[in-house]
Amino acid sequence: MTEPTLPRIRPEIAALPPYRQGKQAGADAFKLSSNENPFEPLPSVLEALTRTTPINRYPDATAGALRARLGEKYGVGPDAVHVASGSVSILHQLVLGTSSVGDEVVYAWRSFEAYPSLPLVAGATGVQVPLAAGARHDLDAMADAVTERTRVIIVCTPNNPTGPIVTSAEFAAFVARVPQDVLIILDEAYAEFVTAPDAVDGLEERIFEKHPNVVVLRTFSKAFGLAGLRVGYAIGHPRVLDAARTTGIPLSVTSAAERAAIASLDAEAELRERVGVIVERRTRLLGGLRAQGWDVPDSQANFVWLPAGERTDEVAAAFDAADLIVRPFSGDGIRISVGEEESIEQVLQVAAAQVRA
C-alpha cells in the first residue's frame, strides 16, 4: 500500500519525543510513577463537584472566581493571578509569550521532563545547566549562562525529579545577578511538601513584588490531589501574566476544576494534615534507603530519587516485577513517588535487594 503524502512538520518537532507520562498501574499494583496524591478526594470537594458543576455550559474563560479567591489568599489583585490547566500550561504560555527564534531559555538538568520541549516548540533554544553536587540547582552556573539572547530562566524547587530545594538566600543572590528584563519562572509545584526552614517561598516572601521579572507557579495537582482535573496558577506582575493569558488556549480550565480548587481552598487545613502524613512517609522512605546504602538526595517533595545510574532500567524492572510502578530515567536514576502506607515497606524491600545486587 502506498504511503499517503502528509503535511510537512517542523523537523525539530518531528524529532522531539512526546511527553511520556508515568506508567499506569494495574489493579493490584502501587502507582508510584507520577507524584500523585495517594488519598481520595475529600467528601467536601466531591460534593462541590456534584452539586454545582454545569456540564452543558462553557466555563468562565478567566476562572474569575478562583482568581479572586487566590488573590484574597495572597494579598494581590485578580490581575496578578493567572489560572490555567495545570502549571505546565502556564510554563508553555510564558515561554511562547517571551521567546522565539534566536532566543534562549535556561533551565537546570536534570529537571522537569517537559522543560526541553518548551523552547523548542516556541522556536527558541534551550540551554541546559547541569545540576551541582547533591542533585541541586547550580544557580551560579545558571546565572553565568545568561546572555543577551536569554529570555527565560526556569528554577524548579523542590527539583523534579531529584527533590532538593533552592534556599531563600541562594535565590536572592541569583535574582540579583539576572538582568531585570529576563523572566525568571519559580516553579514551586511541590511547595506544600517543603519542611526545610531555609527554603525559598516565592509567595510568602512576595518575591514577585520585589522583582517584577519573577513569576511564581503553583498547582492543585499534587498536595491538593486534583491531578485529574488539571488546574494550576501563577502569581506575578499583571503585564507579565498578560503574555500567558494571550498565548493560552481559551476555556481550558473547566468549571469542575475551578469549583474543586475553590472547595480545596475551603478545606485547606484538612488537606494540610494529609500532606503531613505524606511528609512523614517520605522521611521514613529516605531514612530507610540511606540505611541500605543508597546515596539519596534530600527530597523536600512527595517523591524520592534513587540514583541508579547505568543500572536504572534493571532496578526499575525489579520494582515493576513487584507491582511497584516507578519512573525510570534511563542511565540516570529512578523517581519514586511517596504513595500509600502499604507501599513504603515494599519499596524498601525491593531497594534493599537491588543495592546488594
Side-chain angles (χ1 to χ4, degrees):
M1 182 177 178
T2 304
E3 288 293 325
T5 300
L6 299 175
R8 286 173 288 183
I9 306 297
R10 287 168 50 195
E12 61 272 26
I13 297 296
L16 179 70
Y19 175 75
R20 185 171 62 88
Q21 185 183 19
K23 183 179 176 180
Q24 299 299 308
D28 297 326
F30 290 105
K31 186 171 183 280
L32 309 176
S33 57
S34 297
N35 299 342
E36 296 153 329
N37 192 315
F39 292 101
E40 293 292 323
L42 290 174
S44 60
V45 175
L46 290 175
E47 196 272 336
L49 286 172
T50 57
R51 186 186 75 246
T52 59
T53 301
I55 296 175
N56 63 317
R57 303 294 185 185
Y58 284 117
D60 174 2
T62 69
L66 179 55
R67 288 170 57 223
R69 180 64 182 276
L70 289 168
E72 178 183 340
K73 176 179 173 65
Y74 295 114
V76 299
D79 287 346
V81 183
H82 176 52
V83 175
S85 56
S87 56
V88 67
S89 293
I90 303 176
L91 282 163
H92 275 281
Q93 293 163 7
L94 288 170
V95 172
L96 283 172
T98 56
S99 309
S100 187
V101 177
D103 299 330
E104 294 178 344
V105 176
V106 177
Y107 54 91
W109 196 252
R110 176 173 294 275
S111 196
F112 181 33
E113 191 178 3
Y115 289 165
S117 70
L118 303 175
L120 194 149
V121 170
T125 300
V127 178
Q128 296 183 352
V129 178
L131 294 174
R136 303 183 71 245
H137 273 56
D138 189 341
L139 292 183
D140 284 335
M142 292 178 72
D144 290 340
V146 173
T147 70
E148 291 183 355
R149 298 173 59 190
T150 306
R151 297 293 177 267
V152 180
I153 309 172
I154 307 172
V155 177
C156 183
T157 177
N159 186 51
N160 175 17
T162 61
I165 50 98
V166 169
T167 70
S168 180
E170 288 169 340
F171 191 73
F174 170 72
V175 173
R177 290 191 58 193
V178 175
Q180 295 179 3
D181 62 352
V182 173
L183 174 62
I184 301 173
I185 302 175
L186 186 59
D187 188 350
E188 296 186 324
Y190 300 92
E192 291 83 3
F193 300 100
V194 174
T195 57
D198 59 343
V200 67
D201 185 325
L203 298 183
E204 179 70 23
E205 299 176 46
R206 306 189 73 81
I207 295 172
F208 53 89
E209 290 182 341
K210 305 170 192 175
H211 303 281
N213 63 321
V214 176
V215 169
V216 182
L217 298 190
R218 295 284 178 94
T219 184
F220 286 92
S221 294
K222 311 302 182 185
F224 288 90
L226 302 183
L229 290 176
R230 310 302 301 126
V231 57
Y233 62 97
I235 307 287
H237 193 285
R239 291 211 304 272
V240 177
L241 296 183
D242 281 345
R245 289 187 264 264
T246 300
T247 56
I249 298 173
L251 303 163
S252 61
V253 178
T254 66
S255 296
E258 182 179 17
R259 292 170 190 269
I262 293 172
S264 295
L265 291 172
D266 290 339
E268 185 167 3
E270 192 174 356
L271 287 165
R272 291 280 184 174
E273 293 178 2
R274 293 179 166 191
V275 167
V277 173
I278 294 171
V279 168
E280 189 277 330
R281 292 175 187 171
R282 178 188 74 196
T283 301
R284 279 190 283 130
L285 194 53
L286 283 169
L289 291 169
R290 287 170 174 165
Q292 293 172 1
W294 290 100
D295 184 18
V296 183
D298 181 26
S299 175
Q300 288 286 303
N302 66 335
F303 54 82
V304 298
W305 175 249
L306 211 59
E310 294 180 355
R311 295 185 59 224
T312 291
D313 293 342
E314 171 193 345
V315 174
F319 281 107
D320 189 63
D323 286 333
L324 298 165
I325 310 305
V326 297
R327 185 67 176 270
F329 297 87
S330 293
D332 201 351
I334 300 168
R335 189 188 68 198
I336 306 174
S337 304
V338 179
E340 293 82 356
E341 174 62 31
E342 297 80 6
S343 71
I344 303 300
E345 186 57 37
Q346 293 184 37
V347 168
L348 291 174
Q349 289 175 1
V350 174
Q354 290 304 306
V355 77
R356 292 191 294 267

